[in-house]
Amino acid sequence: MLDSKALASIPLIPANTAPPAPDYPWPKPYTSAMFLSFDVDAETAWTSKDALHAQRLITMSYGGYEARVGTPKLLELLDQLDLKATFFVTGWSVDAHPAMAEAILKAGHEIGHHGYHHLLPDPGDPWIEEELERGFEALKRRLGVKPTGYRAPYGEFTEELRVALVRHGIVYTSSFRDDVRPYRHRLADGRPGTIELPVTASYDDWMHGLSARFSPRPIFPKEHVLSIWKDELDEVRDWGAMVTTVLHPQCSGRPMRLRLLREFLTYAKSCSDLWITTGEAIAANFRSHEAAAT
Ligand SMILES: [Zn+2]
């Protein structure tokens, strides 16, 4: 609830004090980039809203689709198109569906951290550290992976989380919506934070293509979504900037949505100026230019 005391406590500075994104070139021959990424929430997309959903079997089946059909179909598509992507996987999904997680890794894709139970990071939450540690532990134990990328569940952040990620050695994050090029975070105490690969709601497939009892939304046909995705991509290419996809196997792994994604990625591949790659590669490119500039 808003009251005068709460309003008076809002600092008179921008919430994000990171300097502007540096203007460095993309690797030749590219002049723009696409961070191709997927969020594998599986059932945690639902249990993170209410643990009782674990007993609501139809609600759980939306998430279960990822391991049974959605992720294998997406892996098949990426293989056909010869593309490598980043999959941000929750620790619970890795524990509950180890074969799915192993298949992603085996296909040569990058695995990123996406929490354990997919809990929304909110100010003062006691489980922020535990979510991080359990996520790291599951990826290490099941896959032998120490992720360098992190995407926040529900795309929310706190200063506490920003600091903790640096402490845990995370190199890049991908949740903020305030730019179209990578930039480096600045922590509240002035220290450098992670590299941010910003996202936009337009490339979150959930917004246009998934409707359920506990997440009711209109579903848009291929033509509408392709129009949004192509317009955003073409303008970003003109700007020499980047786009980031936020795709979920329980949405984009559905037949109609897969057809849409195939058409979009085929178009993206036809753009010879566009670098379609993983978060790890974009972050490494940022670091090399940053190092050269200092
Ligand atoms: Zn998620």
Side-chain angles (χ1 to χ4, degrees):
M1 275 296 276
L2 285 177
D3 58 38
S4 54
K5 208 173 139 197
L7 289 170
S9 73
I10 301 172
L12 291 173
I13 54 166
N16 187 356
T17 61
D23 191 12
Y24 61 83
W26 300 104
K28 285 190 173 84
Y30 305 113
T31 53
S32 57
M34 174 190 285
F35 173 19
L36 183 57
S37 65
F38 297 83
D39 291 5
V40 184
D41 305 337
E43 290 92 328
T44 60
W46 308 96
T47 49
S48 55
K49 293 176 195 280
D50 180 353
L52 280 179
H53 283 340
Q55 296 164 49
R56 297 186 177 107
L57 298 185
I58 302 306
T59 294
M60 291 296 272
S61 75
Y62 280 83
Y65 182 83
E66 295 203 340
R68 299 172 71 89
V69 183
T71 305
K73 277 289 178 194
L74 286 170
L75 292 177
E76 195 181 293
L77 176 68
L78 293 176
D79 183 50
Q80 285 162 359
L81 294 174
D82 193 23
L83 289 171
K84 291 285 183 272
T86 301
F87 286 75
F88 295 99
V89 192
T90 62
W92 185 93
S93 306
V94 174
D95 275 338
H97 305 293
M100 172 189 71
E102 283 160 15
I104 297 169
L105 188 65
K106 201 170 159 221
H109 302 290
E110 180 195 357
I111 304 272
H113 195 307
H114 195 41
Y116 188 84
H117 280 300
H118 199 261
L119 301 182
L120 179 135
D122 230 14
D125 272 348
W127 53 70
I128 284 181
E129 187 63 32
E130 189 184 327
E131 268 281 288
L132 276 182
E133 281 176 9
R134 287 193 75 187
F136 278 116
E137 193 276 325
L139 295 180
K140 177 89 190 148
R141 174 170 40 81
R142 294 277 188 188
L143 305 173
V145 164
K146 183 178 185 324
T148 59
Y150 172 88
R151 175 168 292 146
Y154 296 101
E156 193 50 90
F157 246 80
T158 66
E159 183 61 22
E160 185 189 352
L161 176 60
R162 196 144 63 161
V163 172
L165 290 169
V166 171
R167 191 171 62 243
H168 281 286
I170 286 290
V171 173
Y172 78 90
T173 47
S174 182
S175 300
F176 281 65
R177 287 122 205 275
D178 50 9
D179 216 314
V180 289
R181 290 188 63 93
Y183 64 84
R184 186 172 287 285
H185 280 284
R186 179 189 281 158
L187 305 183
D189 63 7
R191 282 184 298 141
T194 55
I195 298 162
E196 181 66 26
L197 309 184
V199 305
T200 164
S202 359
Y203 283 110
D204 185 337
D205 57 355
W206 201 288
M207 302 291 173
H208 320 294
L210 197 143
S211 190
R213 184 178 154 209
F214 294 106
S215 183
R217 291 171 191 276
I219 287 186
F220 293 93
K222 183 178 76 174
E223 291 72 20
H224 287 206
V225 183
L226 259 182
S227 165
I228 295 171
W229 286 357
K230 279 185 171 176
D231 281 350
E232 181 94 2
L233 180 64
D234 288 343
E235 187 66 21
V236 155
R237 287 167 58 217
D238 285 349
W239 291 10
M242 70 176 281
V243 298
T244 300
T245 64
V246 181
L247 305 168
H248 303 79
Q250 54 196 293
C251 178
S252 284
R254 290 272 165 188
M256 176 181 74
R257 315 316 296 188
L258 194 88
R259 179 172 283 245
L260 154 66
L261 184 61
R262 183 188 298 114
E263 200 162 316
F264 175 64
L265 289 179
T266 301
Y267 172 71
K269 271 199 75 167
S270 76
C271 304
S272 55
D273 57 300
L274 182 70
W275 186 31
I276 308 173
T277 188
T278 63
E280 204 169 26
I282 295 177
N285 182 54
F286 180 97
R287 283 171 113 180
S288 68
H289 284 285
E290 190 182 50
T294 52

